[in-house]
Amino acid sequence: MASGSERVVVIGVDDSSHSYHALETALDLFFTPFKSNPQFKLVVIHARLTATSVIGFAGPGTVDIIPLVEQDLDKTAELVKKKCTEVCSAKSVEITSLEAIEGDPRNIMVEAAERHHASVLVLGSHGYGAVKRVFLGSVSDYLAHHAHCSVMIVKKPKAKHASNDKH
Amino acid sequence: METYVDAIGVDTEATTTMAKQSKKKLKVMVAMDESKNSFYALEWAVEHLRDVISAEPETDQAGGLLTLVHVHPTYLQYIYPSGGTASAVYATDSVPESMKKAREESTAKLFTRSLEICRGKMVKTETMILEGDPKEMICQAVEQTHVDLLVVGSRGLGMIKRAFLGSVSDYCAQHAKCPILIVRPPRETSTSSSTKEHKSN
């Protein structure tokens, strides 16, 4: 393995605190230790849901609200992009590529990982329990098994326990 | 916490002295079994994370720590209950002994191989042997040692197999208290998986 080649870290963000926490963790792990000598390139992917997937069942009034939902999704995408840029520049990490792609998050992430020849794919995890996972589907689960590269799943820690058990 | 770990037969051999808790460098744990994928995961971790965990020569600060953990499953593989009755077939005393010896030998081989991979990379490595259910023990080890990252290989089981045999990487991804990195083998060597997208939505 050539040590000179730069490797790519692809991180998927949605608009949740879990994603931003994952982004920060990834930055701390892969980027801040090498401030002067970057070893990795950062690619941030925002999977923008389609309006139809958000709305779910079609009803009589659906046609009217689609534009509104689209607008809202666009706004969210812009917000996510902005926030990621802020987080990264706060840690003085340069983003190689920041993309918002529309569609199903799972496929988007797999394709993005392939396109950028990612070494690592980083995701936040909502921390759903077993039941929710089945019904809501878990992107991190899917990617852990279908991505062609290594996958890092970052969970946001729950409220810290009071025990200080460091001996 | 340490007494608990001792009670189930932890055998820690530190190849160097224990690293001081360092703010910058990370503690990384790699879960090993005898499969090829976990060796690949170890190599991957050492290759990519080497700079994050290795000691810097110029500073006096101790580098991060790489912990290799191997879990012996405790289920007895050599005793099968006969029929549906309560009477089980008991193995003679010599069988558990030789089983234990065989296990110890294979563990020793595993760690020898692993340490060779780590050698020369300037990484402080320590090894841990635990006994019990692999998924739970790995998650407990993560909690107790407060590592910053857990690295596991993926066996690449298809979806059906995973449902029945259980997947350590799945369980750890859901339950581990730290971020988990699942290393997949390079595409050429991975077997074609028969998983289809399942539409759970």
Side-chain angles (χ1 to χ4, degrees), chain A residues 29 34 136 145 147 151 153 155, chain B residues 26 170 173 176 180 182 184 201:
Chain A
L29 183 63
F34 318 108
L136 299 179
H145 297 291
V151 176
I153 299 176
K155 279 200 298 296
Chain B
L26 298 184
D170 258 354
I180 177 169
I182 301 173
R184 302 189 63 75
N201 285 357

Side-chain angles (χ1 to χ4, degrees), chain A residues 155 165, chain B residues 1 4-5 8 29-31 69-71 128 130-147 149-152 167-180:
Chain A
K155 279 200 298 296
D165 53 348
Chain B
M1 289 301 154
Y4 171 75
V5 166
I8 48 170
M29 176 177 279
V30 182
V69 63
H70 176 63
V71 185
M128 252 173 104
L130 301 174
E131 198 167 312
D133 183 22
K135 333 192 251 277
E136 292 174 11
M137 296 319 298
I138 292 178
C139 292
Q140 276 174 14
V142 163
E143 274 201 62
Q144 286 164 9
T145 53
H146 297 281
V147 289
L149 180 66
L150 172 66
V151 181
V152 297
S167 165
V168 173
S169 52
D170 258 354
Y171 183 91
C172 292
Q174 291 180 29
H175 293 86
K177 295 276 190 281
C178 70
I180 177 169

Side-chain angles (χ1 to χ4, degrees), chain A residues 1-3 7 25 28-30 33-34 39-40 104 106-107 114 119-121 125 128-130 133-138 141-155 157 161 165-167, chain B residues 1-2 21 24 26-27 40 44 47-52 56 143-146 149 154 157 162 167 169-170 172-187 193 195-198 200-201:
Chain A
M1 305 230 186
S3 55
R7 304 164 211 135
T25 309
D28 285 336
L29 183 63
F30 291 113
F34 318 108
Q39 298 271 330
F40 293 95
D104 184 37
R106 297 180 252 227
N107 299 330
E114 289 216 35
S119 315
V120 193
L121 186 57
S125 165
Y128 289 148
R133 272 177 146 50
V134 172
F135 288 103
L136 299 179
S138 169
D141 265 356
Y142 179 86
L143 287 176
H145 297 291
H146 290 86
H148 295 292
C149 61
S150 308
V151 176
M152 180 157 123
I153 299 176
V154 183
K155 279 200 298 296
H161 298 295
D165 53 348
K166 237 6 265 183
H167 351 279
Chain B
M1 289 301 154
E2 290 204 317
Q21 188 83 27
K24 285 202 195 110
L26 298 184
K27 294 169 69 167
Y40 181 75
W44 195 98
E47 164 73 28
H48 284 71
L49 302 176
R50 166 170 29 126
D51 304 299
V52 185
E56 278 171 10
E143 274 201 62
Q144 286 164 9
T145 53
H146 297 281
L149 180 66
S154 163
L157 298 176
R162 204 181 304 133
S167 165
S169 52
D170 258 354
C172 292
Q174 291 180 29
H175 293 86
K177 295 276 190 281
C178 70
I180 177 169
L181 184 67
I182 301 173
V183 179
R184 302 189 63 75
R187 212 181 314 179
S193 59
T195 57
K196 303 263 188 288
E197 264 184 331
H198 69 101
S200 64
N201 285 357

Side-chain angles (χ1 to χ4, degrees), chain B residues 2-14 29-34 66-74 100-112 114-115 125-134 136-138 140-141 144-145:
Chain B
E2 290 204 317
T3 51
Y4 171 75
V5 166
D6 283 336
I8 48 170
V10 166
D11 180 21
T12 62
E13 332 162 31
M29 176 177 279
V30 182
M32 311 281 310
D33 59 8
E34 279 105 3
L66 179 67
T67 307
L68 307 178
V69 63
H70 176 63
V71 185
H72 285 315
T74 47
K100 218 170 126 198
K101 252 188 72 170
R103 245 174 19 181
E104 276 166 20
E105 276 180 27
S106 72
T107 309
K109 258 200 297 196
L110 187 148
F111 280 134
T112 316
S114 318
L115 292 173
T125 311
E126 75 165 11
T127 57
M128 252 173 104
I129 304 174
L130 301 174
E131 198 167 312
D133 183 22
E136 292 174 11
M137 296 319 298
I138 292 178
Q140 276 174 14
Q144 286 164 9
T145 53

